[in-house]
Amino acid sequence: MGEESRFFKTGKGLRQGDPLSPLLFNLVGDVLTRMLVKGANQGLIRDLGVDFREGGIISLQYADDTILFSDVELEHLLNLKGIVMWYEQLSGMRVNFHKSEIIAMNTSDEMAHEVSHIFACSLGDFPIKYLGVPLHYENRRREDIHPLVVKMLSRMAGWRGGPVRLNF
């Protein structure tokens, strides 16, 4: 203590697995949600599903996964990209567009490619997995969710000290 030592470089952020990480991410992720809602309220972007849910759906967030929803009007897409870029500047977080995908629905292949070019993302297609659950146009079958149920049961077995059985 009180001795000189070699210089060390400090950094920002938390270590991988730090218990504060989810809380801090949620606080910062909430900023993105607020920016998106404000953009929708001002008509800069358009959320989806306004016919069946008041306010529509702009985004879904869980842990570090985010799904953004938009119509395919060029002005709205450019504004959405702008909001995401402002979020990056304000928060210091970065969206990895190369790991992100555009899932186009009810639009032409040409428009889907234009959207993927705007966001510099690859085009994806259904079925996709979100939080381990396969999503696609058709109703989910028992076989679709079986691997997820097995995984959950194996984790719950450790909590109870033995196997957990679920008949479905």
Side-chain angles (χ1 to χ4, degrees), residues 8 16 27 30 32 35 42 50 52 65 71 85 89 91 111 113 117 121-122 137 142 145 154 157 159:
F8 63 93
Q16 181 90 19
L27 291 173
D30 189 51
L32 176 61
M35 291 172 72
Q42 293 179 358
V50 291
F52 64 88
D65 286 334
D71 63 358
M85 293 177 78
Q89 292 297 313
S91 69
M111 188 62 194
H113 284 286
H117 180 72
C121 296
S122 62
Y137 292 114
R142 184 174 294 165
I145 62 168
S154 68
W159 299 346

Side-chain angles (χ1 to χ4, degrees), residues 6-77:
R6 295 187 336 186
F7 175 77
F8 63 93
K9 191 174 183 178
T10 60
K12 62 181 179 178
L14 300 172
R15 290 181 182 263
Q16 181 90 19
D18 190 297
L20 284 177
S21 294
L23 174 64
L24 290 177
F25 184 84
N26 286 339
L27 291 173
V28 176
D30 189 51
V31 172
L32 176 61
T33 300
R34 290 173 185 267
M35 291 172 72
L36 293 168
V37 168
K38 190 169 189 172
N41 289 340
Q42 293 179 358
L44 298 173
I45 61 176
R46 177 129 192 252
D47 42 4
L48 298 181
V50 291
D51 297 337
F52 64 88
R53 183 184 184 278
E54 185 178 336
I57 300 172
I58 301 172
S59 66
L60 292 176
Q61 292 180 303
Y62 181 80
D64 63 347
D65 286 334
T66 301
I67 298 178
L68 301 177
F69 297 92
S70 177
D71 63 358
V72 291
E73 189 174 318
L74 185 59
E75 183 180 351
H76 292 161
L77 293 168

Side-chain angles (χ1 to χ4, degrees), residues 101-105 122-129 135-137:
E101 286 185 324
I102 299 293
I103 309 291
M105 297 179 1
S122 62
L123 275 174
D125 198 8
F126 279 104
I128 63 170
K129 279 193 175 182
L135 303 176
H136 47 79
Y137 292 114

